[in-house]
Amino acid sequence: MKLILIIILFPFLIFGQKNIPTDLAKYMQAQADVNNFSGTVLVTQNGSVLLKKAYGLADYEWNIKNTIDTKFQLASVTKQFTAAAILLLAQRKQLSLNDKLSKFFPDYPKADSVTIHMLLSHTSGLALGFKEIALSTISQDSAFSLIRKIPYEFSPGTKSTYSNIGYYLLAKIIEKVSGEKYAVFLKKNIFEKAGMKNTGVSNNDSIIQKKAQVYCHTEKGYIHNPYINWEVNLGHDGVYSTVEDLALWDKALYGTAILNAEMKKKMFTPHSSENWGYGFIINPFYNHGHQLIAHDGGFFGTITSFNRFTDDKLFVTVLSNNGSLSHIIGYGLSAIALGKEVELPYKHHRTKVDTTIYDNYVGRFGKIEILKADNKLYYNNTEIELIPESKTKFFRTDDNDRTIEFIQDKTGAYNSIILTKGGVKETFVKQNQSQ
């Protein structure tokens, strides 16, 4: 009897396992067909590939397709490599995480108040970034002189705010301590040790084979990314890679060939109220209730996502070269891999509705505030309009992969909404006026 039961159940177990790769493939094909996704995707679990595929074009002018070994800029996914390099230097006793910035750059403002730990954990008070400088042809020395004049946003160590400047300074510290260029140190000590043969650091001169061109989306269509000065835009950005190389890095982070257990613990521990570890965010709000170590990146047409669900041994990475919302796509893919129901992308069309019903929708639903102005509905502010596709369902003008559906209860009131983001549904209840 027991043997018969196993035989009956076994096909269903196999079918269930095969469904996830199929569902992942359907989801990504819809992202390509509906939302024009261009890039590469890799989803693995316990070392087995669930989805590995390239979509769209690496070069629009020559109609060259992306392939699985196409190299993409990583944007802020770079930060984890900068953090790993710093931790490696700490592991070798070449620096301490408690070292002050003044040890390396004594003339930098407030340098006696800033530690390497603060730079790594986004608690230094340094401002977000220096986009205009990164887009210029300025020299490294001139850029540093301008960056050091950018004021702090708060006193070092008192709060947490994401800072690209902090990681730019960390890259300069790596060079100062190691005596090697940032790109050389990463190549010798991280990329080669992890077997990442298709990963490196961009510069303004080198020709890199199979590297995707990057495109921004405008109202008139796609245009080339602006010039980026890779001699300056470094530490917080600068690394390029492939999805397969990033899987090798994910694998290396489970071992101790590069970082020992002590340094990895520091890297993966939240050090601020915003859950910043070193180069990663730990268990962000989009973790589906599972242990997640992650980081996304975005700079003009480059948008990237790197997600390690460590308890599930699930790895999801999405790299794009045309501004596709890789972080939202990664959210949808990880939900599918974790067995959740996910809605496929579809074309949204505006429909006419009686706008008097909008008064019933206004209010706060969790952290979401629905506003009404000039017979239009808005999401959190009057810059993001909600476009009706039915009487109760709306899509966002800035991202049609996010929809809001107002749910009517038995009394006829609309006291809850279903927010769909990347196909993943969440329910939020309306708060009372007194709350």
Side-chain angles (χ1 to χ4, degrees):
M1 183 67 182
K2 189 180 289 184
L3 180 63
I4 294 171
L5 185 61
I6 291 171
I7 293 170
I8 291 170
L9 289 176
F10 188 72
F12 290 95
L13 292 171
I14 296 298
F15 178 75
Q17 289 170 346
K18 288 183 177 179
N19 257 348
I20 287 178
T22 300
D23 291 345
L24 291 169
K26 285 180 180 177
Y27 179 83
M28 278 313 305
Q29 194 58 54
Q31 286 288 355
D33 294 342
V34 175
N35 294 327
N36 198 35
F37 173 77
S38 179
T40 51
V41 176
L42 178 60
V43 182
T44 67
Q45 189 162 32
N46 293 314
S48 297
V49 173
L50 302 180
L51 177 68
K52 181 170 68 173
K53 195 166 181 180
Y55 305 83
L57 300 176
D59 191 309
Y60 282 31
E61 290 160 306
W62 286 90
N63 200 38
I64 297 170
K65 292 182 178 180
N66 281 316
T67 57
I68 205 64
D69 58 349
T70 300
K71 302 178 180 76
F72 295 84
Q73 286 297 147
L74 296 187
S76 285
V77 171
T78 294
K79 287 183 174 71
Q80 59 198 260
F81 298 108
T82 303
I86 288 285
L87 288 169
L88 191 55
L89 291 170
Q91 186 172 297
R92 295 172 179 173
K93 310 298 184 186
Q94 291 179 260
L95 57 74
S96 165
L97 300 183
N98 294 319
D99 283 343
K100 301 279 183 65
L101 181 58
S102 55
K103 180 176 179 178
F104 312 100
F105 302 106
D107 295 332
Y108 203 93
K110 300 186 181 181
D112 277 333
S113 302
V114 176
T115 64
I116 288 179
H117 161 78
M118 291 177 190
L119 296 175
L120 286 166
S121 60
H122 299 292
T123 56
S124 66
L126 289 160
L128 170 61
F130 47 92
K131 184 169 72 174
E132 291 76 15
I133 298 172
L135 299 181
S136 72
T137 57
I138 198 169
S139 70
Q140 292 184 60
D141 290 343
S142 297
F144 184 70
S145 296
L146 289 175
I147 290 167
R148 68 188 301 279
K149 293 177 182 177
I150 298 173
Y152 282 73
E153 295 196 350
F154 54 84
S155 296
T158 59
K159 348 186 232 189
S160 174
T161 295
Y162 189 78
S163 174
N164 287 327
I165 294 177
Y167 274 76
Y168 162 80
L169 291 173
L170 288 169
K172 296 187 78 65
I173 290 171
I174 290 165
E175 293 186 335
K176 201 144 192 150
V177 172
S178 69
E180 296 178 317
K181 285 288 189 183
Y182 174 78
V184 173
F185 187 86
L186 263 58
K187 183 176 188 291
K188 285 167 54 177
N189 295 281
I190 297 177
F191 303 150
E192 287 182 353
K193 284 188 178 180
M196 301 167 70
K197 296 178 180 179
N198 291 309
T199 303
V201 179
S202 290
N203 59 57
N204 297 335
D205 303 313
S206 297
I207 295 170
I208 301 166
Q209 291 186 340
K210 292 190 175 182
K211 188 161 178 275
Q213 297 289 330
V214 188
Y215 304 92
C216 296
H217 190 264
T218 70
E219 291 179 358
K220 296 179 181 179
Y222 289 102
I223 61 171
H224 277 289
N225 243 29
Y227 168 84
I228 296 171
N229 188 344
W230 294 116
E231 301 299 330
V232 173
N233 204 51
L234 210 62
H236 59 290
D237 195 348
V239 172
Y240 63 82
S241 190
T242 66
V243 290
E244 290 181 317
D245 267 16
L246 291 178
L248 292 173
W249 172 236
D250 168 61
K251 183 180 178 181
L253 287 172
Y254 284 106
T256 54
I258 298 173
L259 293 176
N260 64 28
E262 179 190 354
M263 291 303 161
K264 287 197 303 176
K265 184 178 179 181
K266 291 178 186 292
M267 190 179 219
F268 303 146
T269 297
H271 299 288
S272 73
S273 58
E274 296 181 334
N275 278 16
W276 288 112
Y278 294 160
F280 289 103
I281 188 167
I282 315 303
N283 283 329
F285 65 89
Y286 50 87
N287 68 344
H288 303 296
H290 292 244
Q291 181 71 22
L292 173 62
I293 297 168
H295 208 296
D296 298 325
F299 197 45
F300 292 96
T302 293
I303 301 186
T304 57
S305 187
F306 182 97
N307 306 277
R308 307 179 66 235
F309 292 87
T310 51
D311 289 349
D312 302 278
K313 295 295 186 290
L314 173 66
F315 176 64
V316 179
T317 188
V318 184
L319 308 178
S320 172
N321 64 322
N322 74 340
S324 296
L325 301 180
S326 297
H327 56 302
I328 301 296
I329 293 170
Y331 181 63
L333 289 170
S334 56
I336 293 169
L338 292 168
K340 294 192 172 186
E341 267 191 46
V342 177
E343 181 180 75
L344 292 179
Y346 63 94
K347 288 288 185 186
H348 300 266
H349 301 284
R350 180 193 288 265
T351 188
K352 287 186 178 181
V353 298
D354 182 359
T355 58
T356 58
I357 198 172
Y358 289 180
D359 292 326
N360 299 315
Y361 300 158
V362 172
R364 181 172 287 278
F365 300 80
K367 293 182 179 179
I368 300 165
E369 187 172 9
I370 305 299
L371 309 167
K372 180 186 176 185
D374 299 323
N375 288 324
K376 294 178 181 178
L377 276 188
Y378 293 92
Y379 181 97
N380 281 344
N381 58 60
T382 53
E383 292 180 4
I384 304 175
E385 186 183 351
L386 293 172
I387 307 298
E389 61 181 57
S390 74
K391 177 183 172 182
T392 56
K393 193 171 184 180
F394 298 73
F395 61 93
R396 283 172 44 165
T397 49
D398 65 322
D399 175 12
N400 62 19
D401 241 7
R402 299 195 193 201
T403 62
I404 297 279
E405 186 173 6
F406 296 90
I407 306 302
Q408 192 173 30
D409 63 23
K410 293 178 180 179
T411 69
Y414 293 88
N415 286 322
S416 63
I417 60 172
I418 295 175
L419 170 68
T420 304
K421 179 170 61 176
V424 184
K425 297 181 183 296
E426 296 176 81
T427 300
F428 296 90
V429 178
K430 194 172 190 177
Q431 296 178 3
N432 295 328
Q433 295 287 341
S434 58
Q435 287 182 321

